[in-house]
């Protein structure tokens, strides 16, 4: 692992080399290395599912930034999963929605060109699907910096699954806080199928299940799909 000041020293050496030998191959190599050292990087991690009515813990990692900016959106998941778009177009679609909260966070970089990470809290939210956008600029402009998207759920539902004989899958739905089984939870099961008319993949509902008193239900195997996802409500 590099010592904290090593990247700063390397950048200064490259700047001096470029100045001394501006037309050399070494100067071009130094220019590339300077670009790598000065490059901004940004990422945010949040638990995929979070307990409602409790602050949500998140982790931000950033390089060469003094501050980062956040916008939180509550999004209809059924609509979101139909967005078969490029990352930039998907972000633009989210930015067009009304945000439910926005704030900023100052970072201590010390000008060392290293990546820094820290924890922060998102205020407690009700049940639902959320997307946190994080940007290096307060305008959330693609042309002025980085924008990252971090989706997550707020739910008291958790689940386990296991493979049974004959290719069947058994699901167990539990309370995320207590671990107790939950009866009466509805589960919609979808698989992805290619539409030759629309020339794209679509999510197709193939079964609806309800958990029994043990919080479980079983899914039979099928030749129509290998993988599927389950939407609990």
């Amino acid at each position: 692992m590099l010592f904290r000041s090593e990247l700063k020293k390397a950048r200064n050496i490259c700047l001096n080399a470029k100045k001394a030998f501006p037309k050399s191959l070494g100067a071009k190599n130094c220019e590339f290395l300077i670009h790598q050292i000065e490059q901004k990087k940004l990422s945010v991690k949040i638990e995929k599912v979070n307990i409602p009515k409790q602050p949500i813990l998140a982790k931000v990692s950033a390089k060469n930034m003094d501050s980062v900016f956040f916008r939180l959106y509550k999004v209809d998941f059924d609509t979101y999963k139909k967005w078969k778009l490029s990352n930039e177009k998907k972000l633009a679609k989210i930015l067009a929605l009304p945000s439910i909260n926005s704030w900023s966070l100052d970072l201590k970089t010390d000008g060392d060109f290293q990546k820094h990470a820290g924890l922060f809290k998102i205020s407690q939210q009700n049940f639902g699907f959320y997307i946190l956008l994080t940007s290096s600029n307060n305008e959330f402009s693609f042309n002025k910096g980085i924008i990252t998207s971090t989706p997550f759920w707020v739910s008291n539902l958790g689940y386990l699954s296991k493979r049974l004989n004959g290719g069947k899958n058994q699901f167990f739905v539990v309370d995320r806080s207590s671990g107790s089984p939950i009866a009466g939870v509805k589960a919609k099961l979808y698989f992805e199928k290619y539409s030759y008319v629309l020339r794209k993949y679509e999510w197709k509902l193939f079964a609806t299940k309800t958990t029994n008193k043990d919080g479980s239900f079983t899914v039979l195997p099928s030749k129509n799909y290998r993988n599927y996802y389950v939407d609990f409500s």
Side-chain angles (χ1 to χ4, degrees), residues 52 58 162 167 174 178 198:
K162 69 176 182 179
V174 298
S178 66
L198 300 175

Side-chain angles (χ1 to χ4, degrees), residues 1-7 114:
M1 182 177 179
L2 291 172
F3 292 102
R4 189 169 182 175
S5 62
E6 292 301 295
L7 288 178
Q114 299 281 0

Side-chain angles (χ1 to χ4, degrees), residues 172-204:
F172 298 89
V173 180
V174 298
D175 185 286
R176 292 184 65 84
S177 298
S178 66
S180 302
I182 303 177
V185 176
K186 290 184 178 180
K188 293 181 179 180
L189 291 85
Y190 298 86
F191 73 99
E192 216 172 14
K193 185 177 182 180
Y194 188 77
S195 170
Y196 291 95
V197 176
L198 300 175
R199 296 182 180 180
K200 65 179 183 179
Y201 281 95
E202 292 184 300
W203 289 107
K204 297 290 186 181

Side-chain angles (χ1 to χ4, degrees), residues 45 57-60 105 117-121:
K45 292 183 179 180
L57 189 64
K59 178 182 179 181
V60 60
L105 182 66
L119 301 176
F120 67 96
K121 288 183 179 181

Side-chain angles (χ1 to χ4, degrees), residues 16-40:
N16 291 331
K18 275 188 63 180
K19 186 177 181 180
F21 308 99
K23 297 182 180 180
S24 67
L25 177 61
K28 291 183 178 180
N29 291 335
C30 282
E31 186 175 354
F32 177 73
L33 183 57
I34 291 169
H35 173 74
Q36 285 188 311
I37 294 172
E38 294 179 346
Q39 188 177 33
K40 293 183 178 182

Side-chain angles (χ1 to χ4, degrees), residues 29-214:
N29 291 335
C30 282
E31 186 175 354
F32 177 73
L33 183 57
I34 291 169
H35 173 74
Q36 285 188 311
I37 294 172
E38 294 179 346
Q39 188 177 33
K40 293 183 178 182
K41 294 184 179 180
L42 177 64
S43 65
V44 173
K45 292 183 179 180
I46 306 172
E47 287 285 345
K48 187 176 180 180
V49 183
N50 298 270
I51 297 172
K53 298 182 180 180
Q54 290 188 16
I56 299 166
L57 189 64
K59 178 182 179 181
V60 60
S61 299
K63 181 175 178 284
N64 297 329
M65 296 182 194
D66 295 321
S67 56
V68 290
F69 303 86
F70 303 99
R71 290 183 187 176
L72 183 63
Y73 299 82
K74 189 173 186 180
V75 181
D76 178 70
F77 182 71
D78 287 335
T79 301
Y80 174 80
K81 69 187 179 187
K82 295 177 183 176
W83 293 352
K84 303 295 183 180
L85 304 170
S86 66
N87 186 55
E88 187 169 325
K89 288 183 178 180
K90 187 179 290 187
L91 288 172
K93 212 168 181 65
I94 297 168
L95 283 167
L97 300 173
S99 64
I100 61 173
N101 198 2
S102 62
W103 70 99
S104 63
L105 182 66
D106 292 329
L107 305 174
K108 294 181 179 180
T109 62
D110 298 329
D112 58 11
F113 301 100
Q114 299 281 0
K115 182 172 75 172
H116 296 265
L119 301 176
F120 67 96
K121 288 183 179 181
I122 301 171
S123 59
Q124 62 184 31
Q125 303 296 326
N126 294 321
F127 297 100
F129 178 69
Y130 295 83
I131 298 175
L132 179 68
L133 295 189
T134 310
S135 176
S136 59
N137 66 93
N138 61 357
E139 298 176 20
F140 284 74
S141 169
F142 296 107
N143 299 324
K144 294 183 179 180
I146 303 170
I147 305 176
T148 67
S149 171
T150 312
F152 64 93
W153 287 91
V154 174
S155 173
N156 64 344
L157 301 178
Y159 78 91
L160 304 169
S161 66
K162 69 176 182 179
R163 182 66 67 109
L164 303 176
N165 293 333
K168 295 185 290 186
N169 283 313
Q170 187 174 23
F171 288 81
F172 298 89
V173 180
V174 298
D175 185 286
R176 292 184 65 84
S177 298
S178 66
S180 302
I182 303 177
V185 176
K186 290 184 178 180
K188 293 181 179 180
L189 291 85
Y190 298 86
F191 73 99
E192 216 172 14
K193 185 177 182 180
Y194 188 77
S195 170
Y196 291 95
V197 176
L198 300 175
R199 296 182 180 180
K200 65 179 183 179
Y201 281 95
E202 292 184 300
W203 289 107
K204 297 290 186 181
L205 176 69
F206 70 89
T208 301
K209 302 284 185 177
T210 302
T211 57
N212 59 23
K213 63 179 182 179
D214 298 322

